Amino acid sequence: MDPPTNPGEPVELTVENLESALYQLYFDPDMERKTLAQKWLTQAQASAQAWQFCWALLGPEKLPEVQFFGATTLHIKISRHWSELPTDQHEGLRIQLLSHVLHFSSGPKMVLTRLCVALAAMALNLIPQAWSQPVADMVRAFQPQKPDSDGGSSAAATQDPHVHCLALLELLTVLPEEFLSSRLAQARRGQLRGALAGEWAVVCSMLRQLLQSQDSSNQVKEKVLRCLSSWVGLDVPLGESHELVQDCFTALSNPELFDTAVETIANAISQPDCQRYIDALVGLMPLVLGLHDQLRKAVEDGDMETSHGICRIAVAMGETHSRVLLEQVEHWQEYLALVNMILFCTGIPGHYPVSETTSSLTLTFWYTLQDDILSFEEEKQAVYLQVYRPVYFQLVDVLLYKSHYPSQEDYSSWSSDDKELFRIYRVDISDTLMYVYEMLGAELLSNLYDRLGRQLMDPQQSAVWQDTEALLFGFQSIAETIDVNYSDVIPGLIGLIPRINISNIMLADTVMYTIGSLGEWLADHPVMLGGILPMVLQGLVKAELSVSSVSTLKRICRECRHDLGPYAQDILSVSQDALLKEIHKSSQCMWLMQALGFLLSALPEDEVLVRLHSLIAPHIQQLDTLVLQEPNATNKQSIIHILGMLSSLFTTLDVNRQGDSFEQQAPSPRLTPSQQTPVVVVLQQVFPLIQTILSRWLDDSEVVEAVCGVFEKSVRTLLHDFGPVVAQLSGMLGQIYSAFPQASALDLARQIVHIFAGEEEHVSDIKSLIEVLTSATLTTFQQGPRDHPDIAESFMYLHAQILKRKPDLYLSDQLDVKALFCCGDSCIQCFFAPTLQTELLPHCKDTPSLAEVLHSDGRFLTETVLQAVGGGSPRSLTEHFSEVLLSLNRHCPALLSQWLKETLQAPGFPSAQVSAEQKHTFSQQLLREQTNKRRVKEIVKDFSLLCRGLQGSGY
């Protein structure tokens, strides 16, 4: 008989139906029928009858899939529905479950495991009151037994002792795992942890016997190791188990047990609690050091798995217990030997990740060791530094060696995934080198500089480009984040860089990044720019160096712009050439234009406009040509690209901004009030062209967004200097928005309001623009804002900005305040934040039109907000709605009291989950708070959880 094909059709919970549903779940190709079967089976597992049918499904004649479902059901019932089972049935269930574990000890494995998990869950329910020593009882139950005196035999007597042993170990392994994965109250978790820890002595003794026994098979020993690893998760004390951990080291010589032994040992010694057992840790140290020969042989033989495993153990010991082991002064040589063993692992021959994957495991160890050494008081620290500084200098050599690129031929054969992993690995090495600088200081830079100098002066050495690249990579790693302005080796480095042959792309890439990292130093030493800039410009014309050369030029133009006058012509001509030849991808073109914006900003004012025109003229001409062509996808992308370049240029081009902090420095005018900034001059000149673009592409949101981006970037950069364009731009924005409403136009209008709403000369233009935008938006929203989420959000933010900067605009007769208010309500119903209402309400007292609307429509606003709080909107917006209710309570408490009473008296509103008494309590609590914003948020949040039935559920 099949399970229901109709979800509403009840089907009797018989074994036959259950088996049929399982067959459907596992073997039916129809996904809908599979889903239906799974849903029905899940419901069956939750039913009370599941306590009975699970045993029938575990019958020896059943298919393994059916038995597995029966065992899984038993676990679900015990772990989630334990309260359904009467107390007097607990003992019978325990005996029955133990019997089934014994019966299935020879398999199937998946069924045995689920039964063991079920028994573990039962033990957790009964410990300690009803089952005081579950582990001892389990061990006893699995002991080989003699046949009964009457000639019969028990289940335990008829089974193979080896199979029994494996089943017992499986049971003891899943017991801690079930505890750690169970959702338990904190007090109960502590009680169970203590009870299980009390059983560890029994488990530990048995595991030692099995691991030492000559009769134990590899299968048993592997189970022993896994069992120990599981119990380690309970923080069992190393003081009680260090002998067992020591025994585990013998398994490392057995290839079949090696991986499991590594996992177990690493887990055991990685527990932070082990630090309380110093003698045990010190006792394990010779065993870890004893693996060094095995490690060396594995490296010589190219045995990556073995070297990786031994490295894990060494790092686990060294990293987790670094400080404790450093403090054992009488054992300093042993710990130094461990550090050197880890250094050997860091420097394992081969290229990561193709020929080795071990070295990356060690990098965080060096952070930990350095932090621990530098955390000691000064006198003690000096002693440790004397011992470990030489090790860290060796580490630098090793890291630079490991950062070497392979040969060009080998590298080209790597997969893209391997190349990406190698890139990330080099970033990790870079971070480590930067961190190591804190310990080694200026001596590290001197060391790197001396080696680089020797290499570049020796033709034979400089022929190996990887060595030069690695040393520059080291410099760059440090200079990127450490202030090297006072280093006495940087002038020498800057002098050496032009001697480097950058014909190799990877070396050239690193040269570029190294120059970029020294941008601040070059700003303080501009005399050195002449030797460096030609290399950067040389890289700028190579597509392979696009990212590094453009980003380096941008950094130089930002940091050194006031000293680039003599080089401006070269920078502009090479950059223009690269742009016209389309050498760089779009994003690099944007960076390059930003760089040129920085450069132009610092030129003499009589040069800026001339050079700006020269720079953008070819692109404007191309734009002019594209606009006249028939619109198509290729033309569109070209138009967006050119507009994007202009936006990027105008982001950084501002002749009135001086100083290094380009984005934050207050204006220091270089132009008189009657003069216009170069960007404004250009915008006014290209305005007709932009209008033509919009006339051809008005219905394309991407093109309109790109056009608005040009003006938005300009207004953000120029601030009040943008004023001469406001009138013209306001008129154009109103026209394009009326024809085709788009969010980007509203965002641009918001920027204009933010900066110019307070300037009398612009108020009239802004007022007209707002009226046009509002009217067009309200017309668009006649069917509701749900179909235009981007416009709705931008429109709300625009009016919120108006209310902050110029609320007088709401006195206009042309602004339909009532429609605006209703629009805000509609947005709440469509899951938007109440941005507009939050800003509107504080202005009701001083704006008559708003006060009138609030009196007439405030009840509906209250109802809408309560509906949203009660489940009509996402919970993430609840905090915003609390601000609206607080604002209503501040500005019209009497009205809010009335509106709350009227709306909340409706049965089932805002949710059937809350009672009349709970709604009354909410109203009273809310009305009492007119100033405490945090308290109102708590009140509204709690009420929202009540309405959604989530109170006390963990939210």
Side-chain angles (χ1 to χ4, degrees):
M1 177 179 174
D2 287 336
T5 52
N6 179 355
E9 179 187 333
V11 174
E12 188 180 356
L13 283 175
T14 64
V15 172
E16 182 186 5
N17 286 344
L18 287 161
E19 290 188 69
S20 178
L22 286 166
Y23 185 87
Q24 190 170 304
L25 176 66
Y26 287 122
F27 305 113
D28 197 316
D30 187 335
M31 283 307 300
E32 284 189 24
R33 287 172 61 81
K34 278 180 179 290
T35 304
L36 195 61
Q38 184 176 30
K39 187 176 179 181
W40 184 78
L41 287 166
T42 302
Q43 291 170 347
Q45 287 179 318
S47 69
Q49 297 99 300
W51 288 105
Q52 283 76 47
F53 71 63
C54 62
W55 299 111
L57 297 176
L58 283 164
E61 76 287 355
K62 301 297 184 187
L63 289 172
E65 291 82 1
V66 175
Q67 294 172 332
F68 178 77
F69 180 77
T72 302
T73 301
L74 190 53
H75 173 241
I76 288 171
K77 298 306 291 182
I78 291 172
S79 58
R80 300 182 196 171
H81 306 277
W82 181 247
S83 58
E84 293 177 358
L85 194 69
T87 308
D88 60 0
Q89 294 183 25
H90 290 175
E91 183 60 25
L93 176 65
R94 185 174 72 170
I95 293 169
Q96 196 172 8
L97 194 45
L98 267 169
S99 171
H100 274 73
V101 170
L102 286 164
H103 175 78
F104 281 95
S105 56
S106 55
K109 173 71 168 60
M110 62 179 183
V111 181
L112 172 64
T113 300
R114 294 317 297 169
L115 287 171
C116 288
V117 172
L119 186 54
M122 185 177 185
L124 296 179
N125 284 327
L126 296 176
I127 295 172
Q129 290 84 2
W131 199 356
S132 57
Q133 294 182 311
V135 171
D137 291 346
M138 290 173 189
V139 172
R140 198 177 303 113
F142 281 83
Q143 293 293 330
Q145 297 174 18
K146 296 178 182 179
D148 295 342
S149 56
D150 60 0
S153 63
S154 68
T158 60
Q159 295 287 337
D160 179 358
H162 176 259
V163 170
H164 266 195
C165 182
L166 290 173
L168 175 59
L169 288 169
E170 178 72 15
L171 184 52
L172 294 177
T173 301
V174 301
L175 182 57
E177 292 172 352
E178 180 68 7
F179 165 74
L180 293 171
S181 64
S182 296
R183 296 175 64 181
L184 299 163
Q186 191 170 354
R188 177 62 177 158
R189 183 171 291 278
Q191 182 187 37
L192 284 175
R193 187 183 291 274
L196 289 173
E199 300 256 42
W200 171 237
V202 175
V203 179
C204 185
S205 172
M206 186 189 78
L207 296 182
R208 281 205 76 191
Q209 287 177 15
L210 290 172
L211 201 55
Q212 292 175 345
S213 171
Q214 298 294 321
D215 298 330
S216 295
S217 65
N218 282 346
Q219 195 178 4
V220 167
K221 288 182 177 179
E222 184 178 8
K223 278 286 185 187
V224 167
L225 293 167
R226 292 190 188 282
C227 187
L228 170 57
S229 193
S230 177
W231 279 81
V232 161
L234 294 178
D235 298 328
V236 294
L238 183 65
E240 295 178 17
S241 53
H242 68 279
E243 292 175 331
L244 175 57
V245 177
Q246 289 174 358
D247 292 342
C248 293
F249 278 81
T250 60
L252 291 171
S253 58
N254 186 331
E256 289 184 36
L257 301 176
F258 181 82
D259 289 342
T260 311
V262 166
E263 191 71 33
T264 302
I265 294 168
N267 284 347
I269 60 181
S270 294
Q271 300 300 315
D273 188 59
C274 293
Q275 295 179 6
R276 294 195 295 132
Y277 306 97
I278 295 171
D279 290 344
L281 279 176
V282 171
L284 289 172
M285 187 74 85
L287 293 171
V288 177
L289 295 176
L291 299 173
H292 207 151
D293 290 341
Q294 190 178 352
L295 171 65
R296 286 183 183 279
K297 186 174 187 311
V299 171
E300 289 169 8
D301 296 344
D303 183 351
M304 288 172 61
E305 286 76 14
T306 299
S307 58
H308 194 87
I310 294 174
C311 178
R312 276 191 63 192
I313 293 171
V315 170
M317 176 65 90
E319 189 174 333
T320 313
H321 311 296
S322 170
R323 188 178 181 89
V324 168
L325 293 171
L326 279 170
E327 289 174 335
Q328 307 313 304
V329 182
E330 64 277 17
H331 296 285
W332 71 271
Q333 289 175 310
E334 286 186 1
Y335 190 58
L336 180 59
L338 179 65
V339 171
N340 281 311
M341 184 176 174
I342 294 172
L343 182 63
F344 176 82
C345 294
T346 307
I348 279 181
H351 282 104
Y352 181 94
V354 175
S355 51
E356 68 91 7
T357 55
T358 299
S359 57
S360 62
L361 298 176
T362 66
L363 297 181
T364 54
F365 163 75
W366 300 108
Y367 288 82
T368 305
L369 178 59
Q370 179 175 317
D371 281 347
D372 287 334
I373 290 172
L374 297 181
S375 69
F376 287 117
E377 59 274 14
E378 199 170 330
E379 189 177 331
K380 206 171 184 181
Q381 187 184 121
V383 175
Y384 286 114
L385 286 175
Q386 191 175 353
V387 174
Y388 287 101
R389 267 175 64 88
V391 176
Y392 271 83
F393 274 112
Q394 289 179 55
L395 173 65
V396 171
D397 292 343
V398 167
L399 291 175
L400 293 178
Y401 162 73
K402 292 299 294 182
S403 70
H404 276 202
Y405 279 98
S407 69
Q408 196 76 47
E409 184 182 354
D410 287 347
Y411 191 66
S412 60
S413 69
W414 285 16
S415 69
S416 56
D417 286 347
D418 285 340
K419 288 178 179 177
E420 176 61 12
L421 286 171
F422 183 60
R423 184 193 68 78
I424 295 169
Y425 177 67
R426 277 173 56 99
V427 170
D428 291 340
I429 287 178
S430 175
D431 292 343
T432 309
L433 287 169
M434 178 270 293
Y435 208 73
V436 165
Y437 179 82
E438 188 180 347
M439 178 181 275
L440 302 181
E443 193 179 343
L444 171 56
L445 289 178
S446 299
N447 183 297
L448 294 176
Y449 171 67
D450 291 344
R451 289 173 59 184
L452 182 64
R454 287 196 300 272
Q455 267 187 21
L456 294 178
M457 298 302 174
D458 183 340
Q460 286 186 323
Q461 285 193 45
S462 59
V464 183
W465 66 267
Q466 287 97 332
D467 293 338
T468 305
E469 192 278 336
L471 287 167
L472 285 174
F473 174 72
F475 266 113
Q476 177 219 331
S477 301
I478 296 164
E480 199 69 65
T481 48
I482 305 293
D483 183 5
V484 295
N485 282 7
Y486 303 104
S487 170
D488 55 1
V489 305
I490 301 301
L493 173 64
I494 294 289
L496 285 175
I497 285 177
R499 301 178 64 96
I500 299 172
N501 179 349
I502 60 170
S503 57
N504 180 277
I505 293 302
M506 286 176 280
L507 173 57
D509 227 21
T510 303
V511 168
M512 293 298 154
Y513 284 125
T514 304
I515 295 171
S517 70
L518 298 171
E520 289 184 26
W521 187 91
L522 288 167
D524 292 335
H525 306 83
V527 71
M528 308 298 284
L529 282 166
I532 288 295
L533 268 174
M535 292 190 82
V536 178
L537 298 181
Q538 186 183 340
L540 203 63
V541 297
K542 295 182 179 179
E544 304 93 331
L545 299 176
S546 180
V547 176
S548 59
S549 62
V550 172
S551 64
T552 295
L553 181 63
K554 181 181 172 183
R555 291 177 78 165
I556 290 175
C557 288
R558 184 182 64 214
E559 303 295 343
C560 312
R561 57 186 177 277
H562 302 297
D563 302 295
L564 291 176
Y567 317 103
Q569 183 57 46
D570 288 342
I571 294 172
L572 285 165
S573 60
V574 172
S575 299
Q576 182 72 289
D577 189 48
L579 290 169
L580 293 177
K581 289 180 179 176
E582 299 182 354
I583 290 172
H584 304 292
K585 291 182 180 177
S586 182
S587 56
Q588 277 72 58
C589 290
M590 306 307 157
W591 293 357
L592 186 52
M593 291 302 263
Q594 287 177 13
L596 299 179
F598 285 122
L599 173 66
L600 291 171
S601 298
L603 293 180
E605 58 189 79
D606 57 338
E607 288 186 36
V608 179
L609 195 56
V610 176
R611 292 192 183 279
L612 176 59
H613 274 135
S614 173
L615 173 63
I616 66 173
H619 307 290
I620 298 298
Q621 289 170 8
Q622 186 185 358
L623 203 55
D624 221 345
T625 305
L626 289 166
V627 170
L628 298 175
Q629 296 174 3
E630 198 63 34
N632 59 50
T634 305
N635 290 352
K636 170 184 164 180
Q637 289 309 315
S638 299
I639 290 170
I640 290 173
H641 174 71
I642 294 171
L643 291 171
M645 288 202 298
L646 292 176
S647 297
S648 298
L649 179 64
F650 297 160
T651 300
T652 55
L653 204 172
D654 184 4
V655 296
N656 277 342
R657 296 218 171 204
Q658 303 293 309
D660 293 329
S661 183
F662 192 84
E663 288 78 7
Q664 299 172 6
Q665 185 80 7
S668 174
R670 295 166 60 197
L671 302 176
T672 63
S674 60
Q675 290 178 293
Q676 293 183 346
T677 65
V679 171
V680 166
V681 173
V682 169
L683 286 175
Q684 290 174 329
Q685 290 172 349
V686 301
F687 213 92
L689 175 58
I690 286 176
Q691 287 178 309
T692 307
I693 293 172
L694 289 171
S695 69
R696 303 290 298 274
W697 293 90
L698 186 58
D699 58 348
D700 192 297
S701 61
E702 292 179 68
V703 174
V704 174
E705 187 175 342
V707 168
C708 291
V710 173
F711 291 102
E712 188 175 5
K713 294 293 194 300
S714 303
V715 75
R716 282 177 180 269
T717 304
L718 300 178
L719 302 177
H720 296 279
D721 290 338
F722 185 81
V725 187
V726 170
Q728 206 174 4
L729 179 58
S730 297
M732 185 186 79
L733 270 181
Q735 289 173 7
I736 66 170
Y737 191 82
S738 297
F740 201 89
Q742 297 192 36
S744 52
L746 295 172
D747 295 335
L748 176 54
R750 178 157 55 94
Q751 287 299 321
I752 295 172
V753 169
H754 177 63
I755 294 167
F756 296 104
E759 297 186 9
E760 197 59 41
E761 62 187 291
H762 298 300
V763 168
S764 176
D765 294 318
I766 291 175
K767 178 172 176 289
S768 300
L769 173 61
I770 297 306
E771 288 170 358
V772 170
L773 295 178
T774 302
S775 174
T777 304
L778 292 176
T779 302
T780 304
F781 285 176
Q782 284 178 349
Q783 305 302 319
R786 193 182 297 273
D787 296 333
H788 311 278
D790 54 340
I791 294 175
E793 188 170 31
S794 295
F795 185 64
M796 294 295 113
Y797 281 122
L798 169 62
H799 274 275
Q801 189 68 262
I802 293 167
L803 288 160
K804 286 177 182 174
R805 304 291 293 174
K806 194 68 175 174
D808 294 356
L809 292 177
Y810 274 69
L811 300 173
S812 168
D813 295 336
Q814 303 300 313
L815 211 59
D816 190 341
V817 177
K818 183 178 177 66
L820 260 176
F821 197 90
C822 294
C823 178
D825 289 348
S826 299
C827 285
I828 293 176
Q829 292 173 325
C830 295
F831 310 145
F832 291 100
T835 309
L836 181 57
Q837 279 81 350
T838 306
E839 294 297 334
L840 270 173
L841 293 173
H843 295 282
C844 288
K845 287 185 178 178
D846 48 23
T847 311
S849 57
L850 283 176
E852 187 180 327
V853 171
L854 180 62
H855 275 76
S856 62
D857 293 331
R859 183 189 184 282
F860 181 69
L861 170 61
T862 306
E863 185 178 339
T864 304
V865 168
L866 290 174
Q867 181 69 62
V869 168
S873 281
R875 282 190 13 257
S876 58
L877 297 177
T878 303
E879 190 171 307
H880 297 287
F881 296 126
S882 70
E883 292 176 18
V884 176
L885 292 170
L886 176 61
S887 196
L888 284 169
N889 201 21
R890 276 180 183 165
H891 300 103
C892 48
L895 287 171
L896 177 62
S897 176
Q898 178 188 332
W899 294 333
L900 285 172
K901 185 176 180 181
E902 291 172 1
T903 52
L904 290 175
Q905 70 182 6
F909 180 86
S911 163
Q913 302 268 9
V914 285
S915 65
E917 184 181 349
Q918 288 170 324
K919 289 192 279 187
H920 177 73
T921 302
F922 165 69
S923 296
Q924 295 304 305
Q925 288 177 331
L926 184 64
L927 292 168
R928 276 198 294 269
E929 300 293 343
Q930 292 190 345
T931 56
N932 192 333
K933 191 174 180 180
R934 182 186 59 79
R935 177 63 184 138
V936 171
K937 285 181 182 177
E938 289 175 0
I939 293 167
V940 175
K941 179 188 171 187
D942 289 344
F943 185 66
S944 180
L945 291 173
L946 273 175
C947 290
R948 299 167 196 260
L950 297 174
Q951 188 77 351
S953 64
Y955 290 98

